[in-house]
Amino acid sequence: MNLNINAQKAQTFDAIVVGSGITGGWAAKELTEKGLNVLVLERGYEIKHVEDYKTAMQDPWEFEHRGKITAVSAEEHYASMFFSAKEGSQFNFTNDKEHPYIQKRPFNWIRGYHTGGKSLIWGKHTYRWNREDFMANAKEGLGVDWPIRYEDLVPWYTYVEKFVGISGQAEGLDVLPDSTFLPPMAMTAPERHFKKSVAQKLNRPIVMGRVAHLTKPQPWHTAVGRASCQFRNRCTRGCPFGAYFSSLAATLPAARSTNRLTIIHNAIVKEIILDDHAQKAKGVRVIDQNTMEVREFYAKVLFLNAGTIGSTSILMNSKSARFPNGLGNDSDQLGRNLMDHHLAVGARADIEGFEDDHYFGARPGSLYIPRFRNWGNDKRDYLRGFGYQGGASRADWARGGTEPGFGADFKKKMTQPGPWKMSLTGFGEVLPDPNNRFYLSPDKTDKWGQPQVVFDADFSANDRAMRKDIMNDGAEMLEAAGFKNVTTYDNPAAHMGLGIHEMGTARMGKDPKTSVLNKYNQVHTCKNVFVTDGSGMTSASNVNPSLTYMALTARAASYAVAQLKAKNL
Ligand SMILES: Cc1cc2nc3c(=O)[nH]c(=O)nc-3n(C[C@H](O)[C@H](O)[C@H](O)COP(=O)(O)OP(=O)(O)OC[C@H]3O[C@@H](n4cnc5c(N)ncnc54)[C@H](O)[C@@H]3O)c2cc1C
Ligand code: SF4
């Protein structure tokens, strides 16, 4: 027999990380810094920080279609068309036509298949979850209880926040625990008035949005080449200053500086290879996106960070004699309890006065109104709560940053700020429900022969009752501030997926009979596989989730290395 031992060695690493997005970047950083040789496998094409941000410096008039997306591009990027993709950023959103999925019930699956994943296009709102978030399931008898509590995450929140760099202000609120902050962004004059009125009349606090932008870079930020935010709000095209947190600007450079990082692009991880005897994973099988070549890579420990749906799909696709229904799926929970946040519902108003108040630049952040429903003495006829993001700005006053136009009219417009307007968008918690799920199609495949994902999930009666309060409470606050022409909206096309925070589908839990992952995001029944993206979430909170994914990833990586050293993996 002629074994190519050298080839096998070149394909063997201490750890494999699948995906280079927000959580994959963190896994790569933590594992390399702890001494492991790490291979990151990224299904998408390579983007190089700074040099590949081709549209970052373009002004609206420099775009062929003045920033608008063409009908052809809209057809290709249908999932992200709802609010995100523009002419200058469409390439950072996955082409759905090329990467199709099936909607048994409507679901928008918004993705970024390239280096950095969605860390290049996220909104950067960055909040800790609160104590109740980790206890609500147990109290209400829903889903399963979290196997961890807020206190388990506190040191990890602090650890990742420092590296990420979050602008915000400490407020001492139980409902929205404080992070480690860089200086907050400033409120506009009508926002300050709004905050004061709502506090006085409705006793609700309003805070400046906490966003992962460097307002005062620290030495560990500049060490990886990051600089201060310039307030240009062109972030979805990529930031040449590295001013917002992305894996391209922050975690991957940190991992690279250890000289223990290898990244392979265009590598679609198809499945995990199981060592049946050892009941452990040996490695992964990968399809080259361009050549269709199938290769294998091996490691002692695997981190799945392919995004919620991506990671769970890999587990589902990894069938063996031991796991006929997908790796780690003894509980039949793979794909179930798919959660998201409510979006596309809220209130708007016109603001009279404040004509002499201006602001400089395009602030890439907004206000945040923390949850107040079903909190303290408030009791509603639905479960959980919601918060709002939003703010006041002058219509047509982005200093050429976003509004289209050219010539003399455009120049004139830039000298004449329009009236103030305010908008509030609710972000509400969706409950875990085993019938909200996705599965792999038994007969429809993509062009790489991989089964397409079928989404089968919808809002519940609880969710719909919450959406009514989101509208009415938003209007109530705008009226409390004396703003005019207050209107509410609930987009009739709103459905799951549009909240862009897909969570669940391989939940954490204490019992292997009812959950897929244990308290360290480790597959209960296949100990050297860790899943640290949104798949593990047991409930959804109502605040943005990515900070919690990062904290869980750093915690799991630390645990995995300790277990490796103790020869337990
Ligand atoms: C427009 C938008 C705005 C958002 N705003 C916020 C916000 O303000 N705050 C917040 O907390 N969250 C926000 N989010 C959500 C946030 O982007 C995600 O929670 C976060 O990126 C998830 O990190 P991840 O590592 O799980 O996935 P990603 O960052 O998406 O990375 C997954 C990576 O895995 C790769 N991959 C997938 N499948 C495979 C495979 N089979 N093989 C190899 N590689 C694979 C992908 O190409 C990708 O690079 C927003 C999302 C969007 C789309
Ligand atoms: S607003 Fe700040 S983070 Fe966004 S692109 Fe400009 S400099 Fe970068």
Side-chain angles (χ1 to χ4, degrees):
M1 204 193 320
N2 188 11
L3 284 177
N4 188 346
I5 290 168
N6 283 340
Q8 174 132 358
K9 208 168 152 201
Q11 282 164 221
T12 303
F13 296 79
D14 295 327
I16 291 174
V17 174
V18 181
S20 66
I22 288 192
T23 61
W26 267 99
K29 169 178 150 19
E30 295 303 299
L31 296 171
T32 51
E33 287 180 350
K34 287 180 164 47
L36 270 52
N37 279 315
V38 175
L39 170 66
V40 172
L41 292 166
E42 168 52 53
R43 74 171 291 157
Y45 55 90
E46 180 171 15
I47 294 186
K48 291 204 177 84
H49 181 47
V50 186
E51 66 181 89
D52 283 338
Y53 302 148
K54 304 274 189 240
T55 59
M57 294 301 180
Q58 262 175 265
D59 284 311
W61 54 89
E62 293 174 311
F63 286 104
E64 196 183 345
H65 306 100
R66 303 287 177 266
K68 294 232 159 54
I69 216 156
T70 63
V72 172
S73 298
E75 204 195 329
E76 288 176 350
H77 296 85
Y78 53 79
S80 42
M81 275 315 296
F82 194 77
F83 64 98
S84 294
K86 302 273 183 305
E87 190 178 14
S89 62
Q90 56 187 311
F91 42 81
N92 282 338
F93 292 84
T94 298
N95 181 325
D96 303 292
K97 214 171 163 188
E98 200 175 325
H99 302 272
Y101 57 93
I102 298 159
Q103 302 177 61
K104 190 165 174 197
R105 288 187 277 171
F107 192 102
N108 279 38
W109 187 17
I110 301 175
R111 297 159 285 173
Y113 285 167
H114 45 65
T115 335
K118 284 179 290 187
S119 76
L120 278 190
I121 52 175
W122 71 312
K124 289 94 64 191
H125 274 264
T126 307
Y127 305 98
R128 285 189 185 196
W129 288 22
N130 64 39
R131 280 188 176 75
E132 279 297 311
D133 287 328
F134 294 95
M135 298 196 292
N137 277 3
K139 282 186 179 168
E140 292 159 3
L142 268 164
V144 291
D145 186 12
W146 277 88
I148 55 168
R149 292 286 180 255
Y150 173 70
E151 286 69 20
D152 292 302
L153 276 194
V154 166
W156 298 103
Y157 273 139
T158 309
Y159 177 72
V160 298
E161 285 161 1
K162 203 176 148 199
F163 184 79
V164 166
I166 303 164
S167 103
Q169 183 166 299
E171 310 273 352
L173 303 169
D174 287 344
V175 73
L176 194 73
D178 294 322
S179 293
T180 308
F181 291 123
L182 302 175
M185 294 181 179
M187 290 188 191
T188 59
E191 287 172 349
R192 291 195 297 275
H193 165 79
F194 179 65
K195 175 181 163 81
K196 204 165 142 200
S197 314
V198 173
Q200 280 169 354
K201 296 190 184 151
L202 299 165
N203 194 26
R204 288 176 201 154
I206 293 176
V207 307
M208 195 54 223
R210 299 166 177 181
V211 281
H213 287 257
L214 298 183
T215 45
K216 191 175 177 197
Q218 301 299 306
W220 51 90
H221 300 131
T222 50
V224 287
R226 301 180 63 197
S228 242
C229 180
Q230 312 291 307
F231 283 52
R232 310 154 64 240
N233 205 7
R234 294 176 175 182
C235 316
T236 43
R237 306 186 203 163
C239 178
F241 306 93
Y244 71 82
F245 173 83
S246 70
S247 36
L248 249 76
T251 43
L252 293 176
R256 202 169 281 121
S257 70
T258 65
N259 290 323
R260 286 188 280 271
L261 176 72
T262 306
I263 305 188
I264 300 183
H265 286 89
N266 302 308
I268 303 174
V269 174
K270 169 178 166 3
E271 62 194 333
I272 293 171
I273 311 164
L274 192 72
D275 180 337
D276 268 327
H277 297 297
Q279 297 268 312
K280 281 201 299 197
K282 275 202 301 200
V284 292
R285 201 160 284 128
V286 168
I287 307 172
D288 186 293
Q289 153 151 258
N290 298 325
T291 65
M292 304 293 279
E293 185 195 358
V294 177
R295 293 169 74 187
E296 292 183 357
F297 295 94
Y298 312 102
K300 292 177 209 144
V301 61
L302 305 183
F303 267 67
L304 294 192
N305 298 98
T308 297
I309 312 300
S311 292
T312 301
S313 296
I314 294 169
L315 292 173
M316 286 174 167
N317 220 13
S318 306
K319 293 185 178 163
S320 59
R322 165 66 185 87
F323 295 115
N325 300 317
L327 195 142
N329 196 20
D330 294 353
S331 59
D332 184 34
Q333 290 302 316
L334 269 192
R336 295 189 183 276
N337 301 295
L338 175 59
M339 296 169 283
D340 189 22
H341 283 146
H342 290 292
L343 198 72
V345 54
R348 303 185 183 104
D350 296 334
I351 302 173
E352 283 177 2
F354 302 98
E355 279 84 13
D356 293 336
D357 287 291
H358 297 274
Y359 48 87
F360 177 76
R363 187 183 68 193
S366 67
L367 298 186
Y368 188 73
I369 306 178
R371 169 180 169 182
F372 48 85
R373 288 291 173 226
N374 288 323
W375 191 264
N377 294 328
D378 185 81
K379 195 79 206 92
R380 302 272 113 186
D381 58 1
Y382 56 83
L383 298 172
R384 315 280 167 106
F386 53 87
Y388 296 89
Q389 291 172 23
S393 57
R394 299 195 82 144
D396 305 324
W397 185 238
R399 298 289 297 170
T402 50
E403 69 275 39
F406 56 90
D409 280 352
F410 181 58
K411 283 186 188 160
K412 198 171 159 208
K413 234 167 92 181
M414 288 216 296
T415 64
Q416 293 171 341
W420 286 94
K421 290 184 182 293
M422 183 151 194
S423 159
L424 298 176
T425 301
F427 278 75
E429 177 162 0
V430 169
L431 299 174
D433 173 351
N435 296 319
N436 275 346
R437 62 185 301 199
F438 84 87
Y439 52 89
L440 299 183
S441 169
D443 47 18
K444 291 235 165 23
T445 53
D446 62 17
K447 75 178 194 195
W448 299 275
Q450 296 311 292
Q452 288 187 31
V453 162
V454 184
F455 288 103
D456 186 7
D458 197 3
F459 294 138
S460 65
N462 194 80
D463 299 327
R464 296 194 187 280
M466 187 186 286
R467 290 181 81 91
K468 284 201 180 114
D469 262 7
I470 293 177
M471 283 193 290
N472 296 338
D473 292 354
E476 184 189 29
M477 289 187 281
L478 292 168
E479 271 157 9
F483 296 159
K484 304 289 177 221
N485 305 325
V486 175
T487 51
T488 59
Y489 68 95
D490 183 355
N491 194 314
H495 50 251
M496 297 270 284
L498 284 174
I500 33 139
H501 296 155
E502 57 276 9
M503 279 176 265
T505 70
R507 69 186 178 190
M508 292 168 83
K510 294 169 190 157
D511 185 352
K513 290 200 198 78
T514 57
S515 60
V516 180
L517 307 176
N518 71 10
K519 65 178 177 178
Y520 290 107
N521 294 73
Q522 185 178 29
V523 175
H524 279 297
T525 47
C526 191
K527 294 276 190 243
N528 64 341
V529 178
F530 291 78
V531 187
T532 69
D533 50 30
S535 322
M537 306 310 267
T538 303
S539 63
S541 173
N542 68 287
V543 297
N544 306 57
S546 302
L547 178 67
T548 302
Y549 303 168
M550 296 190 234
L552 285 168
T553 304
R555 180 173 175 269
S558 168
Y559 176 79
V561 173
Q563 291 295 299
L564 261 183
K565 286 190 180 146
K567 302 205 182 318
N568 289 336
L569 291 182

